[in-house]
């Protein structure tokens, strides 16, 4: 496994679907930060299953407990261990899995990797693992907000064939996103998505979607060329989220069809005496380093692999089988993926911010 | 900086545009591998500027020297240092840069990060840095080929508005790719791309493009969930290449519009008694771990920022300026990016292969 | 903080004196290993306070719970989270500390580092933190024993002025060590130590001591030159244990006074056709790599800083104060340090073993 | 291999005895530092062989070249590659080694590890590898001196049976140390050492010794508990130097025989309003964190394994052999080890300083 992430703000997550608890240890959180369970619970609640009729019927309270690292509601600078107990475990739901690897799920590859079949299949690959990411991401985000005023807002920009209208990167807020349970700030498109997802749920099918994200007020200078460029770390972080298939930043794939003369972002002096750019095809990053403009990117999610329609496949022995899954799963993960994307972004940024602070502290004015 | 990459096969690159040499130290290369400069030079030649009329006029021989780590043409297991001298340095070409940050280039962000203006601007962000990547990637690729029969082939699948026809993932070869200097295995589209690029070069403009890549014969089991999933490491590696704006694997962004019932890849018994999949929307990876099917992905490159058309922008003081660059640069980087994409992929895979070998060696059959 | 250790077998510990729980997340444990709480509890019991009249009066049950990473008593290859609840918390015992930094304790330096005074002072520096080390070390040791037959045995070789007679490195066992609560396998010297420690406890004073350790059946080839040589990693690991002041391996400091002609260990063919050495001044390591001979080293522990005698010192403001500590503490830590030394050694070895297995798997016979 | 060291100031060294060049890549050096080859050459000259009649007769100029990372004598913040060409290569001197592993040298263990016999045996384990350490350590030391006024001074405190008188930690300087070629600031003892070493050289024998080191003006707060405590990183760094057998800090092994009431370092207000300690048994570190007092430690070196006396041993096949080495080697390494110890200390400190600066920059005053 590689369940750790970060160089100075370093997380180490744990937990599968059916163990006693899932959680995370945060090593390197600055001291003096006011932090209680409530700061973390908000994002966990946005992530948890059963929060709306669009998601899985599984009900998981997902209450976080701080085991260490704070005293009187303030961080000590020592490791912060966060734990969420697993309450609703029903391994029995996964009966056929012992002999049939589920198509496009991780049963087969986990067996290839670990040589062992867990009752929950690729249990560690389940969305439940993301609790540790979201819990630690909430801490990271709080640091970024309090130190730099960073704002991270993600939303559902597409589901199946429906694509939301463009949002204003300067003003979009989590409150606006949460106005519907699709987390799509375009109400009209959200309604179409709802209809689609509801019908897919009944049909035992699923759909993919896209989560967009904007990050405002990132100080210029974050990102560690060459191999930890800001967009490279964001790409890694986003593709580490279950079910993701693509990442694009700024102009993205569309930029590949553009000319330099239209793609280049000319500089201009902005208010506060800050050098900024008129357009933002760069997505807030140039040469792997933030330039102070809003960072914006999109993450593609495939349709969930677990569907309740019968599927023609083979068992481990290679014999033809019809698999009919019984587990309770989301027909579309993107609404619940919104806080995961935000959390991953926060984890990337806080680590790079710490590294840049170290550099600046030892810079020589020669 | 973060010029190192990998956990067990670990590279550390160095060099800017105008220093004495660029290169890389490889730590963790297995011993006993036959290795000479010729093994490395091939890919460097595919990367170097001036190789065809489509690229920059700069002529750089880019001859690699092995400084350490081999004896009698065999690796010792000790660090392999590779060096390429910088011969053709003309810092004078970058005159205006002292006062005007080039739009969509790294001059401004490098200054924000390091507090210093180098004569070559964001010199470390230049494509010249990729020599270290390509040189070490050639070593990584040789290991993968000799141990597992891995084949990594990348090609230009789009440039500007032109998109090549689909290629056969099972048969596409580097020889086929190199049949034209566009590295586009669709000759008809290649001609259109050539015409476009030639005209853009004359017009002082540039275009973006897409590089596609397929990796065959990857053993099942590679990839370290959660944060170093195979697709996550590939995404990081690709977005660390200069000028990249997007990464997608398997079905990619198109998969976000699909239904689970069409996206899922049913299992089937393949020749050799290996469990495989009928379709490959997963792109050879499930749950972050290779499943033995071909890995295929695409990388979007923006148009090069350096164009010779006059650009309206501001200088560091915020005063309006018209910038007219004089440096020699590629109007389209994707043909030269092909070996860089292949090299990055090899670096990702060899490191994950070593980690999986360690795991398997200490697996318990309980 | 840097509460993680290891490259492939990687631990991340958490917990201070007065938080809800202490513990550790193990990332990279091989799959298929039989593992239950009982495998871990044994060493925790040897470490815990209150186990004999020689140690602190604090009673801490220190019962470990496996939160994740196993199913049906077998490791899954996923992260193993281990937790020990804090039951006996009496922060009130540390009253004066708010204003007076305890001499030779970590109160002052933790304040300098983190800018915050925790109720338990340098709480993370307390011996309680070592629970995570010991718990994960027990897992590491089990792997080493089952795969390679490695045996790690530490013992108290000195306390205050008393030095135990030499033990036979080939036969010393944990059972022999545990025959008395001093963990000194020289009964006569153990009695003298007991008398000393008992009298020091009454006098409110403390004493230092030395823990010796031997590791048998380590395969030749472990250790990663240059900066992670086997002795370098052991030195780091041992000096990371609270209260340690020195580390020496093989001939150690005495070797500095020897001549090469007497210090060199001539080779000889040993049973099983293994090349071994006649003497073992090298301590089982040459050039940073294990040679198959027993590894033996010694670790110096200072006397515990917390004594109940009045101490003349100053408060944070610099005003003279007499400090009289009230906490319950060990007059001599070495008996309880024995399992900590063994655990640290196991953590070092299992990580290097995994790295060497990876190397060997990809070695080329050229 | 593990030829890299450091988290934020990260070095990656390369080179064996008989390759084209040895050197190092420094990743993470702050920008704006004035740096030329001369800054580095001084310590390389103190390390190089042939500098006095006490050392090996091999003459190696060891001239360093900066390949990258500076412009106009100022660091750019990009990787600094340093190279020293190998001029005096005589692999022929090592004739017997192909069949006979040299006692207490690394021939056997390098073969066990890498499965390959290099012409220089454990070439990477040779003292020649330390050039990369010393070159990068010189850069680290310059940063520490200019930012914090740190002074690092090491000296020979013992060789064979001779032990120098105590030096004053507050005043000892490199100039004083270099007054004789023994680098022993006690002239009388230095003479005895010289006589011993001269006679050993003639007799084809060697002797061990001890290097002591003091570091002044280290800011309080450096060191990353738990596993990267300052003394733990120093221990790792020192035991990574070839031929080292032991490390002790502050009271060291002698402290193990002391009582808490005599070992504790009472606090006192020092000039400049800094809280300091009256005694310094802690060696400048408490709880793994620097306290502002001088850090002082000692490193034990075994006698060099290469002696020219005939040695009774066996060849790889196990047959008895008399080995008579012909290479040119030092009868005592400690004078040349002095700059290596200083360099390693600087590498440890600069990395921990960067990490502490990052922490302090994001500390919250709550």
């Amino acid at each position: 496994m590689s369940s750790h992430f970060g160089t100075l703000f370093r997380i180490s997550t744990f937990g599968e679907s059916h163990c006693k608890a899932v959680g995370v240890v945060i090593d390197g959180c600055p001291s003096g930060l006011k932090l209680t369970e409530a700061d973390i619970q908000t994002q966990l609640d946005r992530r948890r299953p059963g929060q709306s009729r669009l998601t899985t019927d599984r009900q998981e309270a997902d209450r976080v407990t701080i085991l260490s690292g704070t005293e009187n509601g303030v961080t000590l600078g020592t490791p912060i261990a966060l734990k969420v107990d697993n309450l609703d475990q029903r391994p029995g739901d996964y009966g056929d899995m012992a002999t049939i690897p589920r198509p496009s799920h991780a049963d087969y590859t986990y067996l290839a990797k670990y040589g062992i079949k867990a009752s929950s299949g690729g249990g560690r690959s389940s969305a439940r693992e993301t609790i540790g990411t979201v819990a630690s991401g909430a801490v990271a985000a709080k640091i970024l907000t309090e130190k730099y005023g960073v704002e991270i807002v993600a939303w559902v920009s597409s589901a199946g064939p429906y694509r939301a209208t463009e949002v204003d990167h300067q003003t979009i807020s989590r409150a606006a996103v949460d106005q519907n349970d699709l987390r799509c700030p375009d109400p009209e498109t959200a309604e179409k998505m709802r209809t689609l997802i509801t019908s897919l749920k009944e049909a035992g099918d699923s759909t993919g979607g896209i989560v967009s994200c904007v990050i405002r007020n990132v100080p210029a200078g974050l990102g560690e060329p060459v191999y930890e460029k800001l967009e490279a770390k964001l790409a890694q972080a986003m593709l580490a989220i279950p079910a993701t298939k693509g990442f694009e930043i700024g102009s993205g794939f569309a930029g590949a069809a553009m000319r330099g003369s239209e793609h280049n972002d000319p500089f201009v002096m902005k208010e506060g005496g800050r050098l900024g750019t008129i357009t933002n095809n760069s997505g807030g990053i140039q040469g792997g380093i933030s330039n102070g403009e809003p960072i914006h990117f999109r993450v593609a999610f495939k349709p969930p692999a677990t569907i309740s329609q019968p599927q023609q496949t083979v068992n481990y022995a290679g014999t033809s089988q019809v698999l009919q899954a019984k587990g309770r799963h989301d027909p579309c993960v993107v609404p619940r993926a919104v806080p995961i994307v935000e959390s991953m972004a926060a984890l990337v940024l806080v680590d790079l911010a710490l590294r840049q602070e170290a550099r600046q502290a030892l810079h020589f004015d020669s």
Side-chain angles (χ1 to χ4, degrees), chain A residues 1 10 73 92-93 132 155 177 199 209 214 216 239 249 299 313-314 342 363 365:
Chain A
M1 303 299 291
R10 179 184 285 260
D93 276 0
W155 64 95
V177 169
S199 76
V214 66
R216 292 187 291 262
L239 270 291
I249 187 154
V299 186
T313 184
V314 300
E342 292 168 343
H363 171 73
D365 289 310

Side-chain angles (χ1 to χ4, degrees), chain A residues 42 49 52 67 78 108 110 155 163 172-173 221 241 244 248 259 270 288 301 345:
Chain A
T42 308
S52 90
L67 292 179
T78 57
Y108 174 69
Y110 264 67
W155 64 95
R163 185 172 287 258
I172 182 76
S173 68
I241 300 174
T244 50
E248 58 178 6
R259 298 191 177 188
K270 295 207 165 172
F301 288 78

Side-chain angles (χ1 to χ4, degrees), chain A residues 258-270 274-286 291-294:
Chain A
M258 292 170 72
R259 298 191 177 188
S261 54
E262 60 177 329
H263 190 280
N264 278 2
D265 297 318
F267 285 101
V268 70
M269 186 58 74
K270 295 207 165 172
R274 177 179 75 80
L275 221 57
T277 63
I278 298 172
T279 51
N280 191 8
N281 288 308
S282 299
I285 303 175
Q286 284 160 338
N291 67 357
E293 295 295 315

Side-chain angles (χ1 to χ4, degrees), chain A residues 197-254:
Chain A
I197 293 171
T198 306
S199 76
L200 287 172
K201 194 175 181 185
E202 275 168 34
D205 210 344
S206 64
T207 184
I210 295 176
V211 172
S212 293
C213 185
V214 66
I215 315 175
R216 292 187 291 262
N217 302 331
V218 177
L222 305 197
E224 298 290 313
V226 180
Y227 300 105
E228 298 189 79
K229 284 173 173 162
L230 179 40
E231 64 268 50
K233 289 306 284 183
L234 286 172
Q236 176 191 3
M238 298 307 148
L239 270 291
I241 300 174
T244 50
K245 302 304 289 180
F247 168 86
E248 58 178 6
I249 187 154
S251 63
F253 277 87

Side-chain angles (χ1 to χ4, degrees), chain A residues 61-146:
Chain A
D62 290 351
R63 304 299 303 177
V64 69
T65 303
I66 298 175
L67 292 179
S68 70
T70 65
E71 197 173 88
N72 303 321
V74 173
T75 60
L76 296 170
T78 57
I80 301 171
L82 304 175
K83 176 180 71 90
V84 168
D85 288 327
N86 273 339
L87 301 178
D88 181 23
Q89 306 164 26
R90 302 192 207 173
D93 276 0
Y94 298 84
D96 276 344
M97 277 176 36
T99 54
I100 309 176
R102 289 169 294 175
S104 292
H105 216 285
D107 302 339
Y108 174 69
T109 51
Y110 264 67
L111 179 61
K113 183 161 205 71
Y114 299 106
I116 198 164
K117 284 179 204 163
S119 77
S120 51
R124 179 70 177 155
S125 78
S126 92
R128 189 137 189 85
E129 183 281 328
T130 60
I131 286 177
T133 298
V134 172
S136 51
V139 180
K142 185 163 195 199
I143 296 166
L144 292 166
T145 301
E146 302 211 352

